[in-house]
Amino acid sequence: MEKKFKIAIIGCGARSIAYAKNLTAAEEVELVACADPDREHLRTMSSYTAVKEEQLRIYSDWKDLCENEQDLDGVVIATPNYLHHQPAAEIIRRGIPLALEKPLTTTMKDSEYLLEAVRDFRPQLLIGFVLRSTPFYRKIREVVDSGAIGSVISIQADELVTPGVSSVISRSPWRRHTAMSGGTMMEKCSHDMDLINYFAGGRPIAVNSFGGSLLFRPNPNLPRKCADCKVKESCLYYKEPPFSEAAGDATLQKSLNDSMYECIYNIDKDVADNQVVSILYSNGVIANFTLAFNCRGTRGGRNIHIIGTKGRVWGNIDENQIGVCDTLSGQTQIIDIPVTEKGHNGGDRKHAMTLLEMMKDRTFRPDQDAYAGYLSNALCIASDISAAEARQIRFQYDANGFIKFI
Ligand SMILES: NC(=O)c1ccc[n+]([C@@H]2O[C@H](COP(=O)([O-])OP(=O)(O)OC[C@H]3O[C@@H](n4cnc5c(N)ncnc54)[C@H](O)[C@@H]3O)[C@@H](O)[C@H]2O)c1
């Protein structure tokens, strides 16, 4: 057996499971250490791997992990969003290949702090834009890159969130507060902003957005706790399960969602549940994005439609096929996309394996890098400012690519 790559995970909640499961399934990888202040979460995470808790060196503080683990080949950070930048900067300084969950950070200031560390240390860094690794978006990328639709002119995309996910975002102890999650655009749609950037092929230069809490507004006729609610049995959000695969585990479900059974309308939160965003790119591409909570059934999930000078490509991520229309002939081709793996429509395993690739090849730098995370963040933050202040936000780039909103 060749050398085993020793990895550590910082933040061992629901998301860490996808990494722990996929990475420890590769026999070259050994999970040796974890940091999480909540032992229960860590226990659940390790139960998804063949690694016993007793085999792990466990820390409640990531700083202790960094101080004591001098021999790591790779690190995963999957802490809540506001706790990304500090451990990430430390791992970057140590030159260890890092998979950092999306979003990059929750503020422009923290993002720029990380970008400076990136500039100084040139790390191998993979941001958790797992949808780029799905067969669906890879196929669309292949079509766009092939020139089949000509040059991209406009992009329409949406994310239509199920009641279960709406429930998690609106009730999670950290997701429902902008100070901790960065807001719903940041927590839920940083992926979509990244994908739109990726397909647009230019830098965003202006944003207009509208929206906010349109669905889950406070309702004085409902009590704060579901237990006291007379209409709870007919409420779609009463005990609606969290979205992740880990939701099957009652312990995790409970511990992740202590506030789960507070009224979704009356719980204290400041994040949006519906928003629209229009973007203009430096190369003239225009894009429109809609986020809506509370959507089920056909054409839910994520849809995208890219219109080019010679044709169009479109699809719904859950339908496992895309359409490509050639404008000159008017012919449409439907392309099936077989997806055999679970976890973000087949993206989770491939994404986790990218960290393995980075550990094997210490020159490999994936294109889901810190700057992609920064541009996505800038769009999410600018959208929220635009919606709150009812004005257009323009992006001014300095020589380092840092953005000033004007
Ligand atoms: N790429 C994706 O598609 C995707 C999907 C889900 C979540 N995420 C991201 O993954 C991250 C984690 O999300 P989650 O769903 O696992 O949340 P979670 O709340 O289930 O887990 C977060 C974990 O971090 C731990 N934690 C809190 N403070 C910590 C600290 N100081 N040091 C170490 N650990 C700490 C918590 O105890 C918890 O176990 C978030 O950034 C989220 O946006 C990404």
Side-chain angles (χ1 to χ4, degrees), residues 10-16 19 35-38 41-42 60-62 77-84 101-103 128-130 172 174-175 187 191 243 252 256 344 348:
I10 298 175
C12 302
R15 182 65 191 148
S16 70
Y19 291 95
D36 197 304
D38 192 319
H41 293 184
L42 206 144
S60 52
D61 190 327
W62 63 265
I77 297 179
T79 46
N81 303 349
Y82 71 109
L83 298 170
H84 282 185
E101 257 313 335
K102 48 58 59 179
F129 292 133
V130 63
S172 146
W174 60 269
R175 286 180 164 95
E187 169 52 11
H191 284 296
F243 62 97
L252 188 64
L256 287 178
H344 282 101
D348 277 355

Side-chain angles (χ1 to χ4, degrees), residues 261-293:
Y261 304 123
E262 283 195 51
C263 175
I264 198 164
Y265 298 92
N266 288 335
I267 193 167
D268 71 311
K269 59 174 165 13
D270 65 359
V271 295
D273 52 45
N274 279 269
Q275 198 154 338
V276 292
V277 180
S278 298
I279 310 162
L280 173 66
Y281 284 86
S282 51
N283 56 0
V285 170
I286 50 176
N288 248 320
F289 172 77
T290 301
L291 157 74
F293 271 28

Side-chain angles (χ1 to χ4, degrees), residues 259-364:
S259 54
M260 199 68 195
Y261 304 123
E262 283 195 51
C263 175
I264 198 164
Y265 298 92
N266 288 335
I267 193 167
D268 71 311
K269 59 174 165 13
D270 65 359
V271 295
D273 52 45
N274 279 269
Q275 198 154 338
V276 292
V277 180
S278 298
I279 310 162
L280 173 66
Y281 284 86
S282 51
N283 56 0
V285 170
I286 50 176
N288 248 320
F289 172 77
T290 301
L291 157 74
F293 271 28
N294 191 35
C295 299
R296 267 198 176 126
T298 310
R299 290 279 157 104
R302 286 183 163 95
N303 296 283
I304 188 158
H305 196 152
I306 305 177
I307 301 170
T309 48
K310 292 191 198 160
R312 303 182 285 132
V313 54
W314 65 90
N316 171 284
I317 192 166
D318 295 325
E319 290 179 356
N320 299 335
Q321 59 175 211
I322 60 167
V324 184
C325 178
D326 173 66
T327 306
L328 192 62
S329 65
Q331 297 292 312
T332 293
Q333 187 192 3
I334 300 296
I335 304 172
D336 289 319
I337 302 165
V339 177
T340 50
E341 291 176 358
K342 287 189 170 167
H344 282 101
N345 301 75
D348 277 355
R349 199 186 65 80
K350 173 94 182 72
H351 183 79
M353 289 303 104
T354 307
L355 179 61
L356 177 56
E357 252 179 271
M358 289 156 61
M359 294 189 288
K360 283 183 174 166
D361 175 357
R362 296 300 305 269
T363 64
F364 171 55

